[in-house]
Amino acid sequence: MSNVEPDEQEEKPLDPVMENVRRKMVRLQLVSAGIMGVMLMAVLAAIVYKVTQRAPEASVASSGFSVPSEQPLAIAVALPAGFVVEDTSLSGNQILFYGRLADGQRKALVFDSSVGRIVADVTVAGN
């Protein structure tokens, strides 16, 4: 049972057509492995590049606006007379004040602290 017949141990030569197919398959396998190796190296290089790059500066610092470290920044916002603030929102250097005027008209005012003034006055109409 453990004896293998001598016919099974010997490899018979392939006919020329099958030998050409085998060579093409080996060549295709080598080309595919090479492409995968190059792509793997590209991914690793991208990862190393991203890890070694410095973190981008904050958007506040890139706009030329900086807050002093020894004391807080003190800015006064001049809202229209009779304006009642209902909601506020902060995004970078800009503060959105949403509210109503004394006559009931709804407004959204955008104050930019880097320039120190209101940069947008939006009247909200509808529901």
Side-chain angles (χ1 to χ4, degrees):
M1 286 191 188
S2 64
N3 285 342
V4 179
E5 294 182 19
D7 291 342
E8 292 177 5
Q9 287 183 349
E10 296 177 13
E11 289 188 22
K12 297 178 183 176
L14 295 175
D15 62 333
V17 174
M18 287 304 291
E19 183 64 25
N20 284 341
V21 170
R22 187 190 69 80
R23 284 184 185 160
K24 286 182 182 179
M25 292 297 286
V26 168
R27 192 176 318 132
L28 178 65
Q29 186 177 11
L30 290 174
V31 169
S32 297
I35 291 172
M36 285 179 52
V38 168
M39 292 300 133
L40 178 65
M41 290 301 207
V43 168
L44 290 176
I47 291 171
V48 169
Y49 175 77
K50 280 293 204 182
V51 168
T52 58
Q53 290 299 312
R54 286 185 36 204
E57 298 296 325
S59 63
V60 173
S62 66
S63 68
F65 179 73
S66 63
V67 177
S69 61
E70 64 275 355
Q71 62 185 354
L73 187 63
I75 297 178
V77 180
L79 296 174
F83 185 79
V84 177
V85 177
E86 294 177 354
D87 196 11
T88 61
S89 180
L90 175 68
S91 176
N93 295 338
Q94 296 182 340
I95 304 170
L96 170 74
F97 295 98
Y98 181 77
R100 293 182 185 270
L101 291 173
D103 62 359
Q105 184 180 24
R106 293 183 295 177
K107 285 207 171 261
L109 302 172
V110 179
F111 177 80
D112 193 336
S113 58
S114 62
V115 294
R117 64 181 176 83
I118 292 178
V119 293
D121 183 351
V122 181
T123 301
V124 181
N127 294 332

mmCIF file with all atom_site columns, all heavy atoms in Angstrom, residues 33-55:
data_model
loop_
_atom_site.group_PDB
_atom_site.id
_atom_site.type_symbol
_atom_site.label_atom_id
_atom_site.label_alt_id
_atom_site.label_comp_id
_atom_site.label_asym_id
_atom_site.label_entity_id
_atom_site.label_seq_id
_atom_site.pdbx_PDB_ins_code
_atom_site.Cartn_x
_atom_site.Cartn_y
_atom_site.Cartn_z
_atom_site.occupancy
_atom_site.B_iso_or_equiv
_atom_site.pdbx_formal_charge
_atom_site.auth_seq_id
_atom_site.auth_comp_id
_atom_site.auth_asym_id
_atom_site.auth_atom_id
_atom_site.pdbx_PDB_model_num
ATOM 1   N N   . ALA A 1 33 ? 2.800  39.001 -9.935  1.00 0.00 ? 33 ALA A N   1
ATOM 2   C CA  . ALA A 1 33 ? 3.473  39.141 -8.643  1.00 0.00 ? 33 ALA A CA  1
ATOM 3   C C   . ALA A 1 33 ? 4.303  40.426 -8.616  1.00 0.00 ? 33 ALA A C   1
ATOM 4   O O   . ALA A 1 33 ? 4.348  41.128 -7.593  1.00 0.00 ? 33 ALA A O   1
ATOM 5   C CB  . ALA A 1 33 ? 4.351  37.928 -8.371  1.00 0.00 ? 33 ALA A CB  1
ATOM 6   N N   . GLY A 1 34 ? 4.940  40.778 -9.713  1.00 0.00 ? 34 GLY A N   1
ATOM 7   C CA  . GLY A 1 34 ? 5.712  42.013 -9.781  1.00 0.00 ? 34 GLY A CA  1
ATOM 8   C C   . GLY A 1 34 ? 4.840  43.242 -9.630  1.00 0.00 ? 34 GLY A C   1
ATOM 9   O O   . GLY A 1 34 ? 5.189  44.188 -8.909  1.00 0.00 ? 34 GLY A O   1
ATOM 10  N N   . ILE A 1 35 ? 3.698  43.248 -10.313 1.00 0.00 ? 35 ILE A N   1
ATOM 11  C CA  . ILE A 1 35 ? 2.772  44.385 -10.207 1.00 0.00 ? 35 ILE A CA  1
ATOM 12  C C   . ILE A 1 35 ? 2.249  44.502 -8.783  1.00 0.00 ? 35 ILE A C   1
ATOM 13  O O   . ILE A 1 35 ? 2.173  45.611 -8.228  1.00 0.00 ? 35 ILE A O   1
ATOM 14  C CB  . ILE A 1 35 ? 1.621  44.239 -11.225 1.00 0.00 ? 35 ILE A CB  1
ATOM 15  C CG1 . ILE A 1 35 ? 2.163  44.428 -12.649 1.00 0.00 ? 35 ILE A CG1 1
ATOM 16  C CG2 . ILE A 1 35 ? 0.505  45.224 -10.937 1.00 0.00 ? 35 ILE A CG2 1
ATOM 17  C CD1 . ILE A 1 35 ? 1.159  44.110 -13.736 1.00 0.00 ? 35 ILE A CD1 1
ATOM 18  N N   . MET A 1 36 ? 1.899  43.396 -8.175  1.00 0.00 ? 36 MET A N   1
ATOM 19  C CA  . MET A 1 36 ? 1.407  43.448 -6.794  1.00 0.00 ? 36 MET A CA  1
ATOM 20  C C   . MET A 1 36 ? 2.493  43.947 -5.846  1.00 0.00 ? 36 MET A C   1
ATOM 21  O O   . MET A 1 36 ? 2.209  44.693 -4.901  1.00 0.00 ? 36 MET A O   1
ATOM 22  C CB  . MET A 1 36 ? 0.908  42.070 -6.363  1.00 0.00 ? 36 MET A CB  1
ATOM 23  C CG  . MET A 1 36 ? -0.432 41.712 -6.970  1.00 0.00 ? 36 MET A CG  1
ATOM 24  S SD  . MET A 1 36 ? -1.042 40.086 -6.524  1.00 0.00 ? 36 MET A SD  1
ATOM 25  C CE  . MET A 1 36 ? -0.947 40.099 -4.779  1.00 0.00 ? 36 MET A CE  1
ATOM 26  N N   . GLY A 1 37 ? 3.734  43.551 -6.089  1.00 0.00 ? 37 GLY A N   1
ATOM 27  C CA  . GLY A 1 37 ? 4.840  44.038 -5.257  1.00 0.00 ? 37 GLY A CA  1
ATOM 28  C C   . GLY A 1 37 ? 5.022  45.534 -5.380  1.00 0.00 ? 37 GLY A C   1
ATOM 29  O O   . GLY A 1 37 ? 5.234  46.229 -4.381  1.00 0.00 ? 37 GLY A O   1
ATOM 30  N N   . VAL A 1 38 ? 4.950  46.055 -6.609  1.00 0.00 ? 38 VAL A N   1
ATOM 31  C CA  . VAL A 1 38 ? 5.082  47.498 -6.820  1.00 0.00 ? 38 VAL A CA  1
ATOM 32  C C   . VAL A 1 38 ? 3.936  48.242 -6.139  1.00 0.00 ? 38 VAL A C   1
ATOM 33  O O   . VAL A 1 38 ? 4.141  49.283 -5.498  1.00 0.00 ? 38 VAL A O   1
ATOM 34  C CB  . VAL A 1 38 ? 5.136  47.809 -8.336  1.00 0.00 ? 38 VAL A CB  1
ATOM 35  C CG1 . VAL A 1 38 ? 4.983  49.295 -8.593  1.00 0.00 ? 38 VAL A CG1 1
ATOM 36  C CG2 . VAL A 1 38 ? 6.428  47.284 -8.944  1.00 0.00 ? 38 VAL A CG2 1
ATOM 37  N N   . MET A 1 39 ? 2.721  47.730 -6.248  1.00 0.00 ? 39 MET A N   1
ATOM 38  C CA  . MET A 1 39 ? 1.570  48.385 -5.612  1.00 0.00 ? 39 MET A CA  1
ATOM 39  C C   . MET A 1 39 ? 1.698  48.358 -4.086  1.00 0.00 ? 39 MET A C   1
ATOM 40  O O   . MET A 1 39 ? 1.347  49.328 -3.407  1.00 0.00 ? 39 MET A O   1
ATOM 41  C CB  . MET A 1 39 ? 0.260  47.711 -6.032  1.00 0.00 ? 39 MET A CB  1
ATOM 42  C CG  . MET A 1 39 ? -0.082 47.903 -7.482  1.00 0.00 ? 39 MET A CG  1
ATOM 43  S SD  . MET A 1 39 ? -0.252 49.634 -7.874  1.00 0.00 ? 39 MET A SD  1
ATOM 44  C CE  . MET A 1 39 ? 0.703  49.709 -9.354  1.00 0.00 ? 39 MET A CE  1
ATOM 45  N N   . LEU A 1 40 ? 2.183  47.263 -3.539  1.00 0.00 ? 40 LEU A N   1
ATOM 46  C CA  . LEU A 1 40 ? 2.387  47.172 -2.096  1.00 0.00 ? 40 LEU A CA  1
ATOM 47  C C   . LEU A 1 40 ? 3.415  48.205 -1.643  1.00 0.00 ? 40 LEU A C   1
ATOM 48  O O   . LEU A 1 40 ? 3.233  48.872 -0.623  1.00 0.00 ? 40 LEU A O   1
ATOM 49  C CB  . LEU A 1 40 ? 2.838  45.763 -1.699  1.00 0.00 ? 40 LEU A CB  1
ATOM 50  C CG  . LEU A 1 40 ? 3.136  45.553 -0.222  1.00 0.00 ? 40 LEU A CG  1
ATOM 51  C CD1 . LEU A 1 40 ? 1.862  45.715 0.602   1.00 0.00 ? 40 LEU A CD1 1
ATOM 52  C CD2 . LEU A 1 40 ? 3.741  44.189 0.002   1.00 0.00 ? 40 LEU A CD2 1
ATOM 53  N N   . MET A 1 41 ? 4.485  48.357 -2.414  1.00 0.00 ? 41 MET A N   1
ATOM 54  C CA  . MET A 1 41 ? 5.503  49.358 -2.075  1.00 0.00 ? 41 MET A CA  1
ATOM 55  C C   . MET A 1 41 ? 4.907  50.777 -2.150  1.00 0.00 ? 41 MET A C   1
ATOM 56  O O   . MET A 1 41 ? 5.233  51.627 -1.314  1.00 0.00 ? 41 MET A O   1
ATOM 57  C CB  . MET A 1 41 ? 6.697  49.254 -3.025  1.00 0.00 ? 41 MET A CB  1
ATOM 58  C CG  . MET A 1 41 ? 7.497  48.014 -2.803  1.00 0.00 ? 41 MET A CG  1
ATOM 59  S SD  . MET A 1 41 ? 8.091  47.985 -1.112  1.00 0.00 ? 41 MET A SD  1
ATOM 60  C CE  . MET A 1 41 ? 9.534  47.027 -1.299  1.00 0.00 ? 41 MET A CE  1
ATOM 61  N N   . ALA A 1 42 ? 4.034  51.044 -3.136  1.00 0.00 ? 42 ALA A N   1
ATOM 62  C CA  . ALA A 1 42 ? 3.409  52.357 -3.251  1.00 0.00 ? 42 ALA A CA  1
ATOM 63  C C   . ALA A 1 42 ? 2.523  52.645 -2.040  1.00 0.00 ? 42 ALA A C   1
ATOM 64  O O   . ALA A 1 42 ? 2.527  53.765 -1.503  1.00 0.00 ? 42 ALA A O   1
ATOM 65  C CB  . ALA A 1 42 ? 2.599  52.447 -4.541  1.00 0.00 ? 42 ALA A CB  1
ATOM 66  N N   . VAL A 1 43 ? 1.768  51.666 -1.589  1.00 0.00 ? 43 VAL A N   1
ATOM 67  C CA  . VAL A 1 43 ? 0.908  51.851 -0.416  1.00 0.00 ? 43 VAL A CA  1
ATOM 68  C C   . VAL A 1 43 ? 1.753  52.094 0.826   1.00 0.00 ? 43 VAL A C   1
ATOM 69  O O   . VAL A 1 43 ? 1.459  52.987 1.627   1.00 0.00 ? 43 VAL A O   1
ATOM 70  C CB  . VAL A 1 43 ? -0.028 50.627 -0.229  1.00 0.00 ? 43 VAL A CB  1
ATOM 71  C CG1 . VAL A 1 43 ? -0.699 50.658 1.120   1.00 0.00 ? 43 VAL A CG1 1
ATOM 72  C CG2 . VAL A 1 43 ? -1.055 50.573 -1.336  1.00 0.00 ? 43 VAL A CG2 1
ATOM 73  N N   . LEU A 1 44 ? 2.807  51.328 0.996   1.00 0.00 ? 44 LEU A N   1
ATOM 74  C CA  . LEU A 1 44 ? 3.678  51.525 2.156   1.00 0.00 ? 44 LEU A CA  1
ATOM 75  C C   . LEU A 1 44 ? 4.350  52.901 2.111   1.00 0.00 ? 44 LEU A C   1
ATOM 76  O O   . LEU A 1 44 ? 4.481  53.565 3.142   1.00 0.00 ? 44 LEU A O   1
ATOM 77  C CB  . LEU A 1 44 ? 4.725  50.415 2.225   1.00 0.00 ? 44 LEU A CB  1
ATOM 78  C CG  . LEU A 1 44 ? 4.194  49.024 2.581   1.00 0.00 ? 44 LEU A CG  1
ATOM 79  C CD1 . LEU A 1 44 ? 5.307  47.999 2.525   1.00 0.00 ? 44 LEU A CD1 1
ATOM 80  C CD2 . LEU A 1 44 ? 3.533  49.015 3.940   1.00 0.00 ? 44 LEU A CD2 1
ATOM 81  N N   . ALA A 1 45 ? 4.769  53.332 0.930   1.00 0.00 ? 45 ALA A N   1
ATOM 82  C CA  . ALA A 1 45 ? 5.373  54.660 0.808   1.00 0.00 ? 45 ALA A CA  1
ATOM 83  C C   . ALA A 1 45 ? 4.362  55.750 1.156   1.00 0.00 ? 45 ALA A C   1
ATOM 84  O O   . ALA A 1 45 ? 4.711  56.733 1.814   1.00 0.00 ? 45 ALA A O   1
ATOM 85  C CB  . ALA A 1 45 ? 5.905  54.859 -0.607  1.00 0.00 ? 45 ALA A CB  1
ATOM 86  N N   . ALA A 1 46 ? 3.099  55.586 0.738   1.00 0.00 ? 46 ALA A N   1
ATOM 87  C CA  . ALA A 1 46 ? 2.068  56.569 1.068   1.00 0.00 ? 46 ALA A CA  1
ATOM 88  C C   . ALA A 1 46 ? 1.818  56.612 2.573   1.00 0.00 ? 46 ALA A C   1
ATOM 89  O O   . ALA A 1 46 ? 1.643  57.690 3.153   1.00 0.00 ? 46 ALA A O   1
ATOM 90  C CB  . ALA A 1 46 ? 0.775  56.248 0.322   1.00 0.00 ? 46 ALA A CB  1
ATOM 91  N N   . ILE A 1 47 ? 1.816  55.470 3.212   1.00 0.00 ? 47 ILE A N   1
ATOM 92  C CA  . ILE A 1 47 ? 1.610  55.422 4.665   1.00 0.00 ? 47 ILE A CA  1
ATOM 93  C C   . ILE A 1 47 ? 2.767  56.106 5.385   1.00 0.00 ? 47 ILE A C   1
ATOM 94  O O   . ILE A 1 47 ? 2.557  56.914 6.294   1.00 0.00 ? 47 ILE A O   1
ATOM 95  C CB  . ILE A 1 47 ? 1.432  53.966 5.137   1.00 0.00 ? 47 ILE A CB  1
ATOM 96  C CG1 . ILE A 1 47 ? 0.099  53.409 4.631   1.00 0.00 ? 47 ILE A CG1 1
ATOM 97  C CG2 . ILE A 1 47 ? 1.522  53.865 6.653   1.00 0.00 ? 47 ILE A CG2 1
ATOM 98  C CD1 . ILE A 1 47 ? -0.085 51.931 4.864   1.00 0.00 ? 47 ILE A CD1 1
ATOM 99  N N   . VAL A 1 48 ? 3.987  55.814 4.984   1.00 0.00 ? 48 VAL A N   1
ATOM 100 C CA  . VAL A 1 48 ? 5.151  56.444 5.607   1.00 0.00 ? 48 VAL A CA  1
ATOM 101 C C   . VAL A 1 48 ? 5.126  57.949 5.384   1.00 0.00 ? 48 VAL A C   1
ATOM 102 O O   . VAL A 1 48 ? 5.406  58.731 6.290   1.00 0.00 ? 48 VAL A O   1
ATOM 103 C CB  . VAL A 1 48 ? 6.457  55.814 5.073   1.00 0.00 ? 48 VAL A CB  1
ATOM 104 C CG1 . VAL A 1 48 ? 7.676  56.623 5.487   1.00 0.00 ? 48 VAL A CG1 1
ATOM 105 C CG2 . VAL A 1 48 ? 6.581  54.378 5.547   1.00 0.00 ? 48 VAL A CG2 1
ATOM 106 N N   . TYR A 1 49 ? 4.752  58.381 4.192   1.00 0.00 ? 49 TYR A N   1
ATOM 107 C CA  . TYR A 1 49 ? 4.670  59.807 3.885   1.00 0.00 ? 49 TYR A CA  1
ATOM 108 C C   . TYR A 1 49 ? 3.656  60.498 4.789   1.00 0.00 ? 49 TYR A C   1
ATOM 109 O O   . TYR A 1 49 ? 3.925  61.560 5.351   1.00 0.00 ? 49 TYR A O   1
ATOM 110 C CB  . TYR A 1 49 ? 4.295  60.001 2.415   1.00 0.00 ? 49 TYR A CB  1
ATOM 111 C CG  . TYR A 1 49 ? 4.057  61.432 2.025   1.00 0.00 ? 49 TYR A CG  1
ATOM 112 C CD1 . TYR A 1 49 ? 5.125  62.295 1.813   1.00 0.00 ? 49 TYR A CD1 1
ATOM 113 C CD2 . TYR A 1 49 ? 2.762  61.932 1.876   1.00 0.00 ? 49 TYR A CD2 1
ATOM 114 C CE1 . TYR A 1 49 ? 4.918  63.614 1.455   1.00 0.00 ? 49 TYR A CE1 1
ATOM 115 C CE2 . TYR A 1 49 ? 2.555  63.254 1.518   1.00 0.00 ? 49 TYR A CE2 1
ATOM 116 C CZ  . TYR A 1 49 ? 3.631  64.085 1.316   1.00 0.00 ? 49 TYR A CZ  1
ATOM 117 O OH  . TYR A 1 49 ? 3.410  65.386 0.972   1.00 0.00 ? 49 TYR A OH  1
ATOM 118 N N   . LYS A 1 50 ? 2.471  59.893 4.938   1.00 0.00 ? 50 LYS A N   1
ATOM 119 C CA  . LYS A 1 50 ? 1.429  60.495 5.776   1.00 0.00 ? 50 LYS A CA  1
ATOM 120 C C   . LYS A 1 50 ? 1.844  60.546 7.244   1.00 0.00 ? 50 LYS A C   1
ATOM 121 O O   . LYS A 1 50 ? 1.557  61.513 7.941   1.00 0.00 ? 50 LYS A O   1
ATOM 122 C CB  . LYS A 1 50 ? 0.124  59.701 5.660   1.00 0.00 ? 50 LYS A CB  1
ATOM 123 C CG  . LYS A 1 50 ? -0.656 60.019 4.425   1.00 0.00 ? 50 LYS A CG  1
ATOM 124 C CD  . LYS A 1 50 ? -1.150 61.420 4.490   1.00 0.00 ? 50 LYS A CD  1
ATOM 125 C CE  . LYS A 1 50 ? -2.360 61.598 3.635   1.00 0.00 ? 50 LYS A CE  1
ATOM 126 N NZ  . LYS A 1 50 ? -2.861 62.935 3.624   1.00 0.00 ? 50 LYS A NZ  1
ATOM 127 N N   . VAL A 1 51 ? 2.508  59.507 7.718   1.00 0.00 ? 51 VAL A N   1
ATOM 128 C CA  . VAL A 1 51 ? 2.892  59.454 9.124   1.00 0.00 ? 51 VAL A CA  1
ATOM 129 C C   . VAL A 1 51 ? 3.983  60.482 9.423   1.00 0.00 ? 51 VAL A C   1
ATOM 130 O O   . VAL A 1 51 ? 3.986  61.097 10.488  1.00 0.00 ? 51 VAL A O   1
ATOM 131 C CB  . VAL A 1 51 ? 3.358  58.029 9.497   1.00 0.00 ? 51 VAL A CB  1
ATOM 132 C CG1 . VAL A 1 51 ? 4.040  57.996 10.848  1.00 0.00 ? 51 VAL A CG1 1
ATOM 133 C CG2 . VAL A 1 51 ? 2.168  57.080 9.492   1.00 0.00 ? 51 VAL A CG2 1
ATOM 134 N N   . THR A 1 52 ? 4.892  60.696 8.492   1.00 0.00 ? 52 THR A N   1
ATOM 135 C CA  . THR A 1 52 ? 6.008  61.602 8.751   1.00 0.00 ? 52 THR A CA  1
ATOM 136 C C   . THR A 1 52 ? 5.678  63.059 8.517   1.00 0.00 ? 52 THR A C   1
ATOM 137 O O   . THR A 1 52 ? 6.459  63.922 8.911   1.00 0.00 ? 52 THR A O   1
ATOM 138 C CB  . THR A 1 52 ? 7.225  61.222 7.878   1.00 0.00 ? 52 THR A CB  1
ATOM 139 O OG1 . THR A 1 52 ? 6.846  61.276 6.497   1.00 0.00 ? 52 THR A OG1 1
ATOM 140 C CG2 . THR A 1 52 ? 7.735  59.846 8.234   1.00 0.00 ? 52 THR A CG2 1
ATOM 141 N N   . GLN A 1 53 ? 4.538  63.378 7.892   1.00 0.00 ? 53 GLN A N   1
ATOM 142 C CA  . GLN A 1 53 ? 4.175  64.769 7.649   1.00 0.00 ? 53 GLN A CA  1
ATOM 143 C C   . GLN A 1 53 ? 3.717  65.415 8.943   1.00 0.00 ? 53 GLN A C   1
ATOM 144 O O   . GLN A 1 53 ? 3.083  64.779 9.780   1.00 0.00 ? 53 GLN A O   1
ATOM 145 C CB  . GLN A 1 53 ? 3.045  64.874 6.609   1.00 0.00 ? 53 GLN A CB  1
ATOM 146 C CG  . GLN A 1 53 ? 3.476  64.507 5.226   1.00 0.00 ? 53 GLN A CG  1
ATOM 147 C CD  . GLN A 1 53 ? 4.563  65.419 4.713   1.00 0.00 ? 53 GLN A CD  1
ATOM 148 O OE1 . GLN A 1 53 ? 4.457  66.626 4.811   1.00 0.00 ? 53 GLN A OE1 1
ATOM 149 N NE2 . GLN A 1 53 ? 5.614  64.845 4.174   1.00 0.00 ? 53 GLN A NE2 1
ATOM 150 N N   . ARG A 1 54 ? 4.021  66.710 9.090   1.00 0.00 ? 54 ARG A N   1
ATOM 151 C CA  . ARG A 1 54 ? 3.551  67.447 10.258  1.00 0.00 ? 54 ARG A CA  1
ATOM 152 C C   . ARG A 1 54 ? 2.059  67.673 10.151  1.00 0.00 ? 54 ARG A C   1
ATOM 153 O O   . ARG A 1 54 ? 1.518  67.813 9.063   1.00 0.00 ? 54 ARG A O   1
ATOM 154 C CB  . ARG A 1 54 ? 4.248  68.790 10.339  1.00 0.00 ? 54 ARG A CB  1
ATOM 155 C CG  . ARG A 1 54 ? 5.681  68.684 10.789  1.00 0.00 ? 54 ARG A CG  1
ATOM 156 C CD  . ARG A 1 54 ? 6.329  70.021 10.979  1.00 0.00 ? 54 ARG A CD  1
ATOM 157 N NE  . ARG A 1 54 ? 5.397  71.017 11.502  1.00 0.00 ? 54 ARG A NE  1
ATOM 158 C CZ  . ARG A 1 54 ? 5.556  72.310 11.342  1.00 0.00 ? 54 ARG A CZ  1
ATOM 159 N NH1 . ARG A 1 54 ? 6.568  72.775 10.680  1.00 0.00 ? 54 ARG A NH1 1
ATOM 160 N NH2 . ARG A 1 54 ? 4.675  73.165 11.838  1.00 0.00 ? 54 ARG A NH2 1
ATOM 161 N N   . ALA A 1 55 ? 1.415  67.758 11.285  1.00 0.00 ? 55 ALA A N   1
ATOM 162 C CA  . ALA A 1 55 ? -0.019 68.054 11.302  1.00 0.00 ? 55 ALA A CA  1
ATOM 163 C C   . ALA A 1 55 ? -0.225 69.470 10.791  1.00 0.00 ? 55 ALA A C   1
ATOM 164 O O   . ALA A 1 55 ? 0.553  70.368 11.101  1.00 0.00 ? 55 ALA A O   1
ATOM 165 C CB  . ALA A 1 55 ? -0.579 67.916 12.714  1.00 0.00 ? 55 ALA A CB  1
#
